[in-house]
Amino acid sequence: MSSTSEQSASSADPFTPPDPGQARAHRAAASLFRIAERHAGSDEQRRRQVHPAVLGPHEAVRLVSFLLSGAAQLHEGEPEVDRADVTAALSLVPLVRGEMDELEAGLLQMARGRGMTWQEISFGLGLGTPQAARQRYERLVGRTADPATD
């Protein structure tokens, strides 16, 4: 049996567990579509996420990455991405990571506040167990805690 046949057979077989990586990738695409459709369907809705006059750190890193990879094209008269641009983007990565950690910790707190179980949260994060989700939350809170309050 070919791997394509095996995949289609296993996806139709209720006794074969799904491949976690494929399931996570499918959920990621479906998640982007759902949120875009429900909360970013108009220009006005999309603009509320971006300050029109200031480039956020995550946007800067993404822009440099997209320009380097060819996923975005330079506009006429725009300078080529150089080593200093790449260094600047790399310098922002820790800040972006910290912002993501804070965002994730806050989202997890709000999910719990809305009555979601660690099992549900674990599924959303693509983790194997509720314990893994709880431990992830605890690590995030430890990394994002304000040192002035400790």
Side-chain angles (χ1 to χ4, degrees):
M1 187 186 278
S2 74
S3 65
T4 306
S5 300
E6 288 172 9
Q7 284 179 335
S8 60
S10 68
S11 64
D13 180 3
F15 305 106
T16 302
D19 175 78
Q22 287 179 339
R24 190 172 15 259
H26 176 72
R27 273 198 322 274
S31 297
L32 285 171
F33 180 78
R34 176 187 170 82
I35 292 169
E37 182 179 60
R38 292 171 45 85
H39 304 290
S42 70
D43 285 341
E44 183 179 352
Q45 287 175 319
R46 286 187 296 278
R47 276 195 301 270
R48 69 182 168 189
Q49 299 302 314
V50 181
H51 190 285
V54 179
L55 187 66
H58 70 284
E59 295 166 315
V61 171
R62 183 183 312 210
L63 179 58
V64 170
S65 179
F66 282 5
L67 288 169
L68 283 172
S69 71
Q73 300 299 312
L74 293 170
H75 289 187
E76 188 174 327
E78 183 178 359
E80 293 285 331
V81 174
D82 61 14
R83 288 176 179 250
D85 292 332
V86 176
T87 301
L90 290 169
S91 298
L92 291 170
V93 168
L95 178 61
V96 173
R97 185 175 293 115
E99 289 177 352
M100 265 323 282
D101 285 351
E102 289 176 3
L103 185 62
E104 184 178 357
L107 185 57
L108 292 171
Q109 288 171 340
M110 289 181 279
R112 291 292 292 161
R114 291 280 179 111
M116 288 183 71
T117 65
W118 286 115
Q119 180 66 41
E120 292 170 313
I121 292 169
S122 173
F123 174 78
L125 291 172
L127 301 174
T129 66
Q131 180 182 8
R134 192 174 333 104
Q135 289 171 343
R136 181 181 183 116
Y137 169 72
E138 290 166 0
R139 281 191 305 274
L140 286 167
V141 168
R143 284 198 306 253
T144 61
D146 183 3
T149 63
D150 289 344

